[in-house]
Amino acid sequence: MDDSTEDPEHLAQIHSQWRWIADVLWLGFAMLLAVVGLVVWLITGNVNHFYGFLFYAIFPVIGLLHNHFILFRRSKDPVQTQRRLEKQYHKQQVNARKTSRFNGWIMLIAAPVIALVSVGEGAKEGVLQAVLGAAFSAAWAVAAWYSIRWGCRGK
């Protein structure tokens, strides 16, 4: 193993920097949601919009707490923290690839239905809309194929 990655002081410094960056991003996103909710409330006059955005602003705060107190906890050994982060990254990649394969197969199975609906509805409006529907359904099938391919790449 590389000695620079195993140096506890260096790892602690890197984790501290990432903790600060993550804290700023999570707080910024929560504040952005709260401000957007306030603006929408002022524009529409419906306070429910503000409450809705405040509800959604709770989730970035939960992410902040998770990153700050669980992932990048200062009291933990930096080397153990780094190993735990690498293990979690690997798990997330495996889960992302499984999800990509599953979603790709669902999209591929639905592609003929999407093609029939988009071309059929487009044909009611004219030739250009039918061609655009066919292009949309082809793009859908290609996206499904690439999703499956990306998911199988990690095996």
Side-chain angles (χ1 to χ4, degrees), residues 47-101:
V47 75
N48 290 334
H49 292 116
F50 180 63
Y51 293 144
F53 276 95
L54 282 182
F55 173 77
Y56 288 122
I58 290 171
F59 295 104
V61 172
I62 293 170
L64 167 90
L65 296 173
H66 181 263
N67 276 344
H68 192 81
F69 294 111
I70 295 174
L71 288 181
F72 294 112
R73 198 170 25 186
R74 291 182 194 186
S75 62
K76 284 293 220 181
D77 180 35
V79 176
Q80 288 178 349
T81 300
Q82 185 65 27
R83 288 188 183 134
R84 190 176 71 244
L85 289 172
E86 289 170 358
K87 185 178 176 182
Q88 183 177 2
Y89 173 77
H90 177 70
K91 245 192 236 183
Q92 287 175 343
Q93 285 297 311
V94 169
N95 289 337
R97 292 191 187 283
K98 283 181 186 176
T99 303
S100 176
R101 282 194 312 268

Side-chain angles (χ1 to χ4, degrees), residues 109-131:
I109 290 169
V113 175
I114 298 290
L116 287 174
V117 170
S118 61
V119 172
E121 289 297 317
K124 291 179 184 176
E125 301 295 324
V127 176
L128 179 63
Q129 284 79 8
V131 171

